[in-house]
Amino acid sequence: YQGRGQRLQREAVVWLAARGQLTAVVMEMAERGHSTQGLPRDASEACLGLLFMYRATREPEYLRRAADYERWWQRTVKKPNGWPHNFIFFDGRKHDTSERSFQAGSAPIFYYLWKATGAARYRRELLRMADGTLVRFLRADGAITSIVDKHHATASGEVLNDDGLMGALLCAYHASQ
């Protein structure tokens, strides 16, 4: 099942990219005044799809669109403390600022942009996010806790889950070698 699911995901990315619709989801939400809350994951995965398509085809349009998304991410998603918002609302409501480990899943964008362009600023952002990840979510016993704000955690105050986080740390490891 997993292999078939990955094949279908690749085919969907190719299909959407061929139609110029892959990153349109963020712009469509902004135009309609909605939020990122209802997405099945986050728009960062669509950006990664563009970067993978660029790697496979060397088509500059994929890289340009991924860089456009990264600039939007820096202006809109990144909080003053450097960590991404949990949800972005386009209708004037205050963004959800809670911190969860899955938000580190944005970090691979910076790795693949760095690999594609050689621009040091992408590598710096990747390593900054990895450092922030370890400070926020690494426990003394080596486990990862995915939720910092206690409102969403279990009675013990933690949820053990590395959803999106390990990919970010692996990218940072490769970038630091």
Side-chain angles (χ1 to χ4, degrees):
Y1 173 76
Q2 191 172 21
R4 180 175 181 262
Q6 290 171 343
R7 181 181 56 78
L8 291 174
Q9 287 175 358
R10 280 192 302 274
E11 289 173 6
V13 166
V14 171
W15 182 78
L16 287 169
R19 288 157 182 75
Q21 298 173 335
L22 194 55
T23 58
V25 68
V26 172
M27 299 314 296
E28 182 178 320
M29 288 184 314
E31 291 169 5
R32 290 187 182 178
H34 296 146
S35 78
T36 60
Q37 191 169 16
L39 292 179
R41 289 305 289 153
D42 58 13
S44 294
E45 289 183 358
C47 183
L48 282 173
L50 287 170
L51 289 163
F52 295 151
M53 290 299 295
Y54 173 74
R55 244 176 77 182
T57 67
R58 294 296 183 216
E59 171 59 46
E61 181 67 10
Y62 295 128
L63 183 58
R64 184 192 65 76
R65 288 178 182 221
D68 286 348
Y69 173 80
E70 183 272 338
R71 283 188 296 277
W72 174 83
W73 188 95
Q74 293 287 353
R75 286 189 322 269
T76 309
V77 179
K78 185 176 170 182
K79 297 184 302 189
N81 73 356
W83 198 253
H85 288 284
N86 191 32
F87 297 115
I88 302 296
F89 296 100
F90 299 114
D91 60 3
R93 287 183 285 162
K94 184 178 177 188
H95 301 321
D96 180 346
T97 60
S98 58
E99 296 185 345
R100 295 175 175 82
S101 67
F102 80 85
Q103 292 153 298
S106 297
I109 291 169
F110 302 106
Y111 175 77
Y112 289 104
L113 281 168
W114 170 64
K115 294 297 277 183
T117 67
R121 73 181 187 91
Y122 296 130
R123 183 178 178 274
R124 281 192 304 272
E125 184 70 19
L126 165 65
L127 297 177
R128 186 199 58 73
M129 282 195 74
D131 288 342
T133 296
L134 295 175
V135 166
R136 286 172 174 82
F137 304 107
L138 185 63
R139 295 183 349 166
D141 65 1
I144 303 291
T145 181
S146 71
I147 297 177
V148 168
D149 77 298
K150 302 300 183 197
H151 175 73
H152 293 93
T154 63
S156 69
E158 296 180 315
V159 175
L160 301 180
N161 182 352
D162 68 359
D163 189 13
L165 180 141
M166 293 314 293
L169 294 178
L170 287 170
C171 287
Y173 170 78
H174 285 283
S176 66
Q177 299 302 301

